Amino acid sequence: MTAKPRILTGDTPTSTGLHLGHYVGSLENRLALQEQYDSYFLIANVHAFTTMADKPEQIRANTIGIIKDWLAVGLDPDRSTFVLQSEIPAIAELTFFFAMLIPFNKVMRNPTLKTEIETKGLGDSYPFGFPMYAVGQCADILAFRPELVPVGEDQEAHIEMCRDVALKFNQQYCGVGNRVPAAEHVQAGGLFPIPAAKVGRVARLAGIDGTNKMSKSLGNAIFLYDSAKDVQKKLNKITTGRQSPNEPGDGNNVLMQYVDAFIAGGDPARAAEIKRRYVAGDNLGDGHVKAELGEAINRLLEPMRARRATLDGPAGDQRVMEVIAQGVKRANVVAEETLTLAKKAMKADFVHRTIG
Ligand code: ATP
Ligand code: MG
């Protein structure tokens, strides 16, 4: 066992790959943190069934695609642990126990779930398992007892729920007093550290529709594996309502958000200049901004595309299978340990079992 503090974060395989929102919202943080932290990166393939239960082949292909993107971005399966949710039984078991610690109405009031129901058009016919995923996510996280969870802003409500579960568990089953501050729960005998969300450089990147969060499921994403041509095509589709290069532009519209996200890091002076001229209506058209954004985004994506290309085809799929097997083995050691300790605290430990 390593002494490094742990982080856990993950992605749901609802699409064949990851997008720019993932990169600035979470992947960048993962890359930076995988050095100092014992990192767990989880593919929530069980949760993909909440909206895609009729498409199992697609979920499988998406799982493989996202792991290829992780490798292409630079997440390292030797230093970090890649966790495939469906192969970690302790997560499912903890989900059931944790469901007893969260009031039903609180789950149903979770703002992230509400937004998802609306934007994904789930109406009132979504399965029982859909709201259940919010409880499951508490188990995804707590199974690994991390201190930090690098996520986008949309996940903050979920992390808050996860903190509530950890606090309640520690108080109810580990004898931690109600007044013990969250940071001191483990010293006070609690099983779970109370995890904190770590939101990325860009908390919420808008999609090319200009309004919603960039999202795999909403058809408004620029994917990390999109070709240079497709990136430019997608940028060109953005509409801001601006009529001419001399019309003062909105400094917070989606194009300006992208300037902040993709130009300001490498060339802050140029980003400031673009924003100044855009807002002033100083002869800077949307088309010009889109072309500069295309160049900057493609510079960022090119090395990832090149690495992703080396994982194409059956040899790449085989590599992913190896990475999954290696990660699942390591993840089950930690998750089983957590489950054993949790069951002990809950007086529900009767027989010792081993997995793997
Ligand atoms: P879905 O549409 O299926 O919910 P998604 O695009 O929201 O997919 P997730 O797998 O749900 O992607 O999210 C993975 C991680 O990326 C989460 O930490 C989430 O907060 C972050 N993330 C997703 N989209 C964005 C975004 N547009 N801006 C910043 N962070 C994001
Ligand atoms: Mg999401």
Side-chain angles (χ1 to χ4, degrees), residues 28-342:
E28 258 183 355
N29 259 339
R30 295 182 208 179
L31 284 170
L33 295 170
Q34 75 173 351
E35 309 288 337
Q36 314 106 272
Y37 285 83
D38 183 18
S39 304
Y40 293 81
F41 303 129
L42 179 133
I43 296 270
N45 64 326
V46 176
H47 293 182
F49 281 80
T50 60
T51 54
M52 299 175 67
D54 56 336
K55 300 186 186 76
E57 296 89 358
Q58 192 62 52
I59 296 174
R60 188 182 180 88
N62 294 348
T63 297
I64 293 169
I66 288 178
I67 294 177
K68 287 184 180 178
D69 273 357
W70 286 359
L71 296 169
V73 165
L75 301 187
D76 177 354
D78 293 327
R79 262 185 303 173
S80 308
T81 302
F82 289 12
V83 185
L84 185 62
Q85 191 181 44
S86 59
E87 298 296 345
I88 315 297
I91 290 177
E93 293 174 59
L94 287 170
T95 300
F96 214 108
F97 286 121
F98 289 164
M100 314 307 164
L101 302 181
I102 309 176
F104 177 76
N105 287 329
K106 197 160 181 182
V107 176
M108 300 314 290
R109 280 198 303 266
N110 177 306
T112 300
L113 285 186
K114 281 190 173 170
T115 309
E116 279 187 275
I117 289 166
E118 209 173 290
T119 55
K120 294 178 183 174
L122 303 181
D124 57 6
S125 61
Y126 53 81
F128 182 76
F130 179 74
M132 186 72 180
Y133 102 73
V135 182
Q137 191 169 320
C138 299
D140 294 337
I141 296 170
L142 295 179
F144 299 93
R145 288 171 279 149
E147 287 172 23
L148 272 189
V149 188
V151 284
E153 183 185 63
D154 63 302
Q155 293 295 311
E156 281 183 306
H158 287 338
I159 307 303
E160 204 45 52
M161 196 183 261
C162 177
R163 288 168 61 87
D164 285 349
V165 169
L167 288 164
K168 185 101 185 265
F169 188 100
N170 290 344
Q171 289 162 352
Q172 195 154 298
Y173 301 120
C174 308
V176 176
N178 285 347
R179 297 198 178 165
V180 174
E184 291 166 23
H185 263 231
V186 172
Q187 292 103 293
L191 171 59
F192 297 108
I194 313 303
K198 184 170 172 65
V199 174
R201 180 166 60 94
V202 179
R204 175 196 180 276
L205 190 75
I208 57 169
D209 57 3
T211 46
N212 291 304
K213 166 184 103 65
M214 185 177 284
S215 177
K216 296 188 238 96
S217 314
L218 299 181
N220 66 357
I222 295 179
F223 289 95
L224 303 183
Y225 61 76
D226 278 342
S227 68
K229 224 167 136 188
D230 284 346
V231 168
Q232 193 62 61
K233 259 201 220 154
K234 287 185 178 179
L235 288 169
N236 291 347
K237 274 198 215 150
I238 294 173
T239 52
T240 64
R242 195 160 168 256
Q243 304 296 335
S244 94
N246 297 316
E247 182 182 324
D250 171 1
N252 295 313
N253 74 15
V254 58
L255 288 182
M256 293 303 109
Q257 285 180 38
Y258 288 5
V259 167
D260 280 336
F262 303 107
I263 297 180
D267 191 348
R270 180 62 194 151
E273 167 77 0
I274 293 175
K275 287 191 89 168
R276 186 193 62 71
R277 285 181 54 195
Y278 193 83
V279 171
D282 180 7
N283 194 28
L284 184 67
D286 280 19
H288 186 99
V289 176
K290 289 173 186 175
E292 267 193 62
L293 279 170
E295 275 173 37
I297 291 172
N298 281 321
R299 249 194 323 274
L300 170 74
L301 297 185
E302 198 40 51
M304 300 179 204
R305 281 190 207 113
R307 275 199 297 268
R308 180 72 145 81
T310 66
L311 294 164
D312 279 346
D317 290 0
Q318 184 53 38
R319 170 81 185 121
V320 169
M321 292 307 159
E322 288 161 15
V323 162
I324 289 175
Q326 172 187 342
V328 161
K329 199 166 174 197
R330 287 215 299 259
N332 267 325
V333 173
V334 178
E336 282 295 300
E337 183 191 53
T338 303
L339 180 68
T340 301
L341 293 168

